[in-house]
Amino acid sequence: MKSEPSCYSIDDLKREKRGPWDGVRNYQARNFMRDDMQVGDRALFYHSNASDTGVVGEMEVASEAYPDPTQFDRKADHYDPKVTKNNPRWFLVDVSFVQKFPKTVTLHELKNDPFFKNMLLTQKGMRLSVQPVSKKHFEKILRTALS
DNA sequence: GCCAACGTTGGC
DNA sequence: GCCAACGTTGGC
């Protein structure tokens, strides 16, 4: 799950312990949260547009999917004038902090390791902000981060 | 800040 | 339904 650290970082989540992953306005990303995530699933926190772009920590899915409240909020950055309370379009899950890695596993590292060749994240033009990670990739990233 | 790669919108 | 124009993402 990607976020620009200037907007919301792993340190913000560490401080807050738990929070809604709001602001996602892409159908595919929404579908992954709404349809494929379950409470207790692990997720990776990725810093995009950062000085050190890459995976910075681990979190846990802490809620079922529910409508993103910011879509109804006229003053929110991601307000969507086309939705109504009875007909929400955007969904999110809450996430809770698990750990911040002692070192970032950078996008550069992932792209340079053939093991991650087929990972969605490393594909050209891939900018989906919420995307699935295979177990083997997830575990290798954990091992790399903690080694 | 640039810009390539996507995604969305809306005229037709 | 096509596709040009526009908006966004995100690496660099």
Side-chain angles (χ1 to χ4, degrees), chain A residues 9-109:
Chain A
S9 73
I10 185 74
D11 293 316
D12 294 323
L13 182 62
K14 183 178 184 180
R15 191 173 56 249
E16 295 174 2
K17 304 287 187 232
R18 172 178 173 149
W21 198 264
D22 59 20
V24 172
R25 295 295 181 268
N26 171 281
Y27 289 104
Q28 259 188 292
R30 175 204 68 182
N31 292 348
F32 284 126
M33 287 198 285
R34 189 190 59 187
D35 305 333
D36 295 331
M37 288 189 181
Q38 294 177 4
V39 175
D41 283 351
R42 294 300 165 115
L44 297 169
F45 197 129
Y46 178 93
H47 279 176
S48 59
N49 262 315
S51 57
D52 210 10
T53 294
V55 184
V56 294
E58 185 185 10
M59 41 192 190
E60 184 174 314
V61 176
S63 78
E64 299 284 304
Y66 62 93
D68 182 341
T70 66
Q71 72 191 298
F72 308 118
D73 180 357
R74 286 177 181 282
K75 283 172 283 184
D77 285 345
H78 297 97
Y79 171 64
D80 187 340
K82 291 175 186 159
V83 306
T84 61
K85 288 269 185 185
N86 291 329
N87 195 18
R89 178 176 303 184
W90 307 111
F91 290 78
L92 54 70
V93 295
D94 288 348
V95 293
S96 58
F97 179 79
V98 173
Q99 63 174 324
K100 178 183 177 180
F101 295 151
K103 68 180 177 78
T104 300
V105 181
T106 65
L107 179 62
H108 186 76
E109 283 179 75

Side-chain angles (χ1 to χ4, degrees), chain A residues 107-130:
Chain A
L107 179 62
H108 186 76
E109 283 179 75
L110 297 176
K111 282 191 167 171
N112 281 323
D113 186 342
F115 186 82
F116 296 106
K117 192 176 55 170
N118 296 320
M119 191 180 182
L120 271 181
L121 185 71
T122 61
Q123 305 309 302
K124 189 181 178 198
M126 170 49 65
R127 36 175 240 193
L128 200 56
S129 65
V130 177

